[in-house]
Amino acid sequence: FLVPYNRNTAAIFDPVANTLTDVPGTYTVPGGFSAGVLLPDGRVFMVPHQSTTARIYDPVTNITSVAGGTYPGNYAFNAGTLLADGRVFLVPGNSTSARIYDPVANTVSTPVGVYPGNNALKSGTLLMDGRVFMTPANSSSARVYDPYTGVVTTLPDVYPLNNFVNTVLLPNGVAMMVPTSNNRC
């Protein structure tokens, strides 16, 4: 499933047939959605980036619907991470607060915690203990959100600005940040 960022349609790529098929749905905002999160029931939650509403694609019905809740738009969220309980944590980009989408209740909530905004964080990676590690982009420090306590922590390490794009969780539990313009991880 390909999330529409600067397209008016989402698409599905079939690697066996080597085909790309458009998916029904309305995606009106350029840069509207930045990522997709596979929900436990097989649907795909589309993270609102420039859009003020999220979308959910259901592969069984081939229908895209508007998810519950409203979002700030203005490049608010860069990524989403599926939490252990099936909710989706939205990693703040320009937003100064995170959001959590609950697919069972079809609602969105704002957890406690202040984030720097200004495209500070790029992606989120679920750690082995259920916390979310947020990769710094336009920030010199990473953040960790704990869904069990609701606390966000700023890590003491200092990172160069705009040098990381994602984080990969290694089998031993180490979170390795993937550099963009830096030759070191």
Side-chain angles (χ1 to χ4, degrees):
F1 183 85
L2 299 144
V3 173
Y5 181 74
N6 278 332
R7 290 188 74 204
N8 290 332
T9 59
I12 293 179
F13 175 69
D14 181 340
V16 175
N18 196 29
T19 57
L20 188 65
T21 306
D22 285 345
V23 171
T26 304
Y27 312 96
T28 57
V29 179
F33 306 95
S34 57
V37 177
L38 184 62
L39 300 174
D41 63 5
R43 296 178 302 155
V44 178
F45 176 84
M46 289 172 248
V47 175
H49 189 57
Q50 183 70 345
S51 179
T52 57
T53 57
R55 301 283 192 281
I56 294 181
Y57 171 70
D58 186 333
V60 174
T61 62
N62 197 34
I63 294 175
T64 300
S65 59
V66 176
T70 58
Y71 302 84
N74 192 30
Y75 307 103
F77 305 101
N78 285 333
T81 302
L82 185 67
L83 299 173
D85 64 5
R87 296 177 303 154
V88 178
F89 178 82
L90 303 180
V91 177
N94 278 349
S95 179
T96 56
S97 60
R99 298 289 192 281
I100 295 178
Y101 175 73
D102 183 337
V104 174
N106 194 29
T107 58
V108 66
S109 61
T110 304
V112 175
V114 177
Y115 297 82
N118 196 28
N119 200 34
L121 306 165
K122 194 65 170 176
S123 65
T125 302
L126 188 66
L127 301 174
M128 291 177 154
D129 62 5
R131 296 178 303 150
V132 178
F133 177 88
M134 289 168 270
T135 307
N138 196 29
S139 174
S140 60
S141 57
R143 308 290 193 285
V144 173
Y145 173 73
D146 187 334
Y148 305 110
T149 64
V151 174
V152 62
T153 304
T154 301
L155 299 181
D157 300 325
V158 176
Y159 304 100
L161 296 179
N162 293 313
N163 277 313
F164 301 100
V165 68
N166 206 342
T167 298
V168 176
L169 186 64
L170 301 176
N172 64 357
V174 170
M176 181 186 82
M177 292 186 297
V178 179
T180 56
S181 59
N182 188 339
N183 63 1
R184 293 179 44 201
C185 295

